[in-house]
Amino acid sequence: NTCKEDGQWHGDLPYCTKVECLTPHIKQNAHFQEQSVYLFQDEVEYFCNPGYYPMFLYKIECSKNATWTEHLPLNCTKVNCGEPIAIPDGTFTGTGFTFQSIIQYMCKDGFQLIGNSTQTCGDNGHWIGDVPVCVRVTCPVPPMIMHGSFIERKTYEFEDTVLYLCN
C-alpha cells in the first residue's frame, strides 16, 4: 500500500493467513485422527494401535515455521500377557508372551489333553482361551478270553498290564 498525493492509501491490502503444516508422519504401531488441513497451533494426538500401549500421552503441535514440534519420541510397546498358567502334568511351548503370541499346551506321557491346546495373547494383555487340563489316560475293562481269566481292578490306566491266567 502506498500513500499518494491525494492523502489516501492506494493498492491492494495484504492479508494474513495461518501457517499450514503438512500431514504428520505415521508412527510405528500408532495412528491419529486425520484432518484435511493442519494450521499453526493445531495439535495431533497419537494413539497406539490395539495390542500396544504408550509410555505416555503423545501430542505434536504445528509450529509457526510450519513444522511439527515433538518433545519426546513416540514409543508404542507390545502388550505383555505374562507367563501363561501352568497345568499339572503338562507343559507349554511358545515364542513369547506378548500381543499375538501363541502358546501350545501338551501333556506328559500317559495323560490326555482336555480342552483347547492353544492360547493367544490378546490386545488387552490377557490370554485368550480356556486353560486345558491333563487327565490320566484310562482304558476300558480288558476283553475276556475263552478258558481264562484275569484279576479285575476298578480302573485301568496308561501302561497298566493285565496278566491272563488259563483255567
Side-chain angles (χ1 to χ4, degrees), residues 21-26 32 34-38 46 60 68:
C21 285
L22 296 174
T23 300
H25 295 293
I26 294 178
F32 61 90
E34 288 197 43
Q35 300 173 191
S36 57
V37 177
Y38 298 93
Y46 282 85
I60 59 175
W68 291 101

Side-chain angles (χ1 to χ4, degrees), residues 2-10:
T2 306
C3 180
K4 296 290 185 171
E5 57 188 49
D6 64 357
Q8 300 294 315
W9 290 100
H10 292 269

